[in-house]
């Protein structure tokens, strides 16, 4: 039997077993397909199973505020703040997979409660009320946690530290930070990353001041395979902390960024949070 001869309800059910991207492509087939794609049967399937709870955590009154499940899906694709504005949740538009950003306030940052070392302040380009700005420390430790149950099952995820550096940043590129991801009690990913991209002039200046320390630390550092800072579309920068496969169990994911081996003072790092999103 040809697909366009099937009842609309059957077509909607079939399309709901695909993906949001496939559903949008299917709407181009015919007017009957287009009508089936608009059905709540399709778009409710693309919503997370706990979407009602997510609505309440975002401060929205209830699902009745949205005229259709497709409208609700698109609302989540634009990202919403949840849990009192301390986290951001969105759906990946093409796949419907869950994505989260844990704000700096949701992270465990060593000495972040001491104003001698860290400053909490607002930033006009941040989605959160506050970001953490590093004044000066020798020991840098940042950790975020999220349960796998909150993420989409059977999906490979990446974790990314969202950050930038101010004009007075220093000591961040002498020794790469160590990054890691643990799922449950198992380490599943580890790497190294520099926390800044410096221009050539600044590198020359720091070379003059830190040349001896660079030589001392050189045996500890191998530059090959070290992750760099990349620019995001939202104006921030990011480094990849690591990746992991999320199956169907419920475990705790720990994502860490540490630089505790160089012992040099470092400052000027601004932390917005850690994002967990599907890998391409």
């Amino acid at each position: 039997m040809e697909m366009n001869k099937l009842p609309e309800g059957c077509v909607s059910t079939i399309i709901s077993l695909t993906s949001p991207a496939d559903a949008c492509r299917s709407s181009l087939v015919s007017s009957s397909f287009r009508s089936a794609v608009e059905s709540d049967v399709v778009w409710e399937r693309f919503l997370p199973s706990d979407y009602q709870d997510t609505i309440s955590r975002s401060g929205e009154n209830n699902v009745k505020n949205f005229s259709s499940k497709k409208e609700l899906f698109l609302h989540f694709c634009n990202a919403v703040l949840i849990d009192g504005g301390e986290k951001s949740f969105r759906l990946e538009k093409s796949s419907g997979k869950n994505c989260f950003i844990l704000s700096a306030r949701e992270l465990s940052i060593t000495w972040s409660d001491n104003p001698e070392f860290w400053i909490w302040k607002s930033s006009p380009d941040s989605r959160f009320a506050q970001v953490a700005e590093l004044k000066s420390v020798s020991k840098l430790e940042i950790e975020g946690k999220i349960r796998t149950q909150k993420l989409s099952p059977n999906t490979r995820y990446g974790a990314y530290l969202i950050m930038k550096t101010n004009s007075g940043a220093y000591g961040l590129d002498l020794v790469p930070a160590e990054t890691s991801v643990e799922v449950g009690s198992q380490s599943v990913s580890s790497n190294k990353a520099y926390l800044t991209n410096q221009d050539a002039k600044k590198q020359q200046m720091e070379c003059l001041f830190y040349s001896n320390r660079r030589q001392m630390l050189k045996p500890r550092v191998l530059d090959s395979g070290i992750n760099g800072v990349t620019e995001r579309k939202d104006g921030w920068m990011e480094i990849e902390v690591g990746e992991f496969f999320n199956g169907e169990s419920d475990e705790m994911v720990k994502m860490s960024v540490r630089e505790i081996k160089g012992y040099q003072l470092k400052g000027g790092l601004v932390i917005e949070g850690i994002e967990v999103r599907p890998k391409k």
Side-chain angles (χ1 to χ4, degrees):
M1 181 182 291
E2 296 181 9
M3 284 285 288
N4 58 11
K5 292 182 180 180
L6 289 173
E8 183 177 302
C10 290
V11 177
S12 294
T13 300
I14 293 170
I15 294 174
S16 73
L17 300 175
T18 61
S19 70
D22 290 333
C24 291
R25 284 191 285 267
S26 298
S27 67
L28 303 176
V29 173
S30 66
S31 58
S32 61
F33 267 55
R34 187 157 51 250
S35 177
V37 167
E38 294 298 316
S39 168
D40 278 353
V41 171
V42 173
W43 294 96
E44 183 157 23
R45 182 67 179 260
F46 296 151
L47 289 167
S49 59
D50 61 348
Y51 71 87
Q52 293 271 18
D53 178 59
T54 304
I55 291 173
S56 64
R57 290 166 64 193
S58 71
E60 301 282 352
N61 291 330
N62 55 55
V63 70
K64 293 180 181 178
N65 293 340
F66 301 91
S67 61
S68 67
K69 294 299 192 297
K70 182 178 180 180
E71 182 183 340
L72 178 57
F73 176 88
L74 295 175
H75 173 70
F76 283 143
C77 288
N78 291 326
V80 295
L81 293 178
I82 60 174
D83 297 345
E86 299 296 287
K87 299 188 189 80
S88 172
F89 169 79
R90 71 176 175 88
L91 293 175
E92 190 176 63
K93 196 170 186 178
S94 61
S95 66
K97 303 283 188 180
N98 294 356
C99 310
F100 287 89
I101 299 178
L102 311 179
S103 72
R105 281 292 187 189
E106 280 288 303
L107 306 179
S108 173
I109 304 175
T110 300
W111 297 328
S112 62
D113 57 347
N114 189 329
E116 293 184 11
F117 303 124
W118 289 87
I119 300 172
W120 290 96
K121 66 177 191 178
S122 61
S123 177
D125 55 354
S126 175
R127 72 210 81 211
F128 301 114
Q130 290 185 314
V131 297
E133 180 172 329
L134 174 60
K135 290 181 68 177
S136 182
V137 294
S138 59
K139 182 179 181 180
L140 180 65
E141 294 182 290
I142 303 166
E143 183 180 272
K145 296 180 181 180
I146 190 169
R147 298 208 69 88
T148 57
Q149 191 177 45
K150 297 296 182 182
L151 305 173
S152 299
N154 302 314
T155 301
R156 180 158 293 279
Y157 275 91
Y160 305 85
L161 179 70
I162 306 173
M163 43 72 69
K164 61 174 59 175
T165 55
N166 61 30
S167 58
Y170 60 93
L172 296 172
D173 68 341
L174 294 178
V175 179
E178 296 181 354
T179 66
S180 65
V181 175
E182 296 179 13
V183 179
S185 59
Q186 183 178 2
S187 175
V188 296
S189 180
S190 62
N191 212 322
K192 293 181 179 180
Y194 284 112
L195 297 174
T196 183
N197 282 336
Q198 287 194 330
D199 57 60
K201 184 177 180 180
K202 190 168 184 181
Q203 283 185 336
Q204 289 175 358
M205 291 297 293
E206 288 212 348
C207 227
L208 292 175
F209 287 104
Y210 294 112
S211 58
N212 290 337
R213 179 163 288 279
R214 283 182 187 275
Q215 289 302 315
M216 281 172 44
L217 297 175
K218 195 172 182 181
R220 306 187 199 177
V221 179
L222 295 175
D223 286 340
S224 60
I226 297 178
N227 289 336
V229 177
T230 58
E231 189 172 352
R232 293 167 56 92
K233 292 180 180 179
D234 57 13
W236 287 80
M237 308 293 285
E238 70 178 25
I239 62 168
E240 183 171 342
V241 178
E243 62 181 73
F244 62 97
F245 181 78
N246 183 40
E248 298 184 354
S249 59
D250 182 24
E251 298 181 283
M252 183 66 76
V253 180
K254 296 180 183 179
M255 304 155 287
S256 303
V257 178
R258 293 185 174 90
E259 202 294 273
I260 59 175
K261 293 182 177 179
Y263 301 108
Q264 81 282 0
L265 290 176
K266 34 199 168 275
L269 182 67
V270 182
I271 303 295
E272 191 191 29
I274 290 180
E275 181 172 27
V276 183
R277 65 176 187 259
K279 295 275 287 186
K280 298 297 183 184

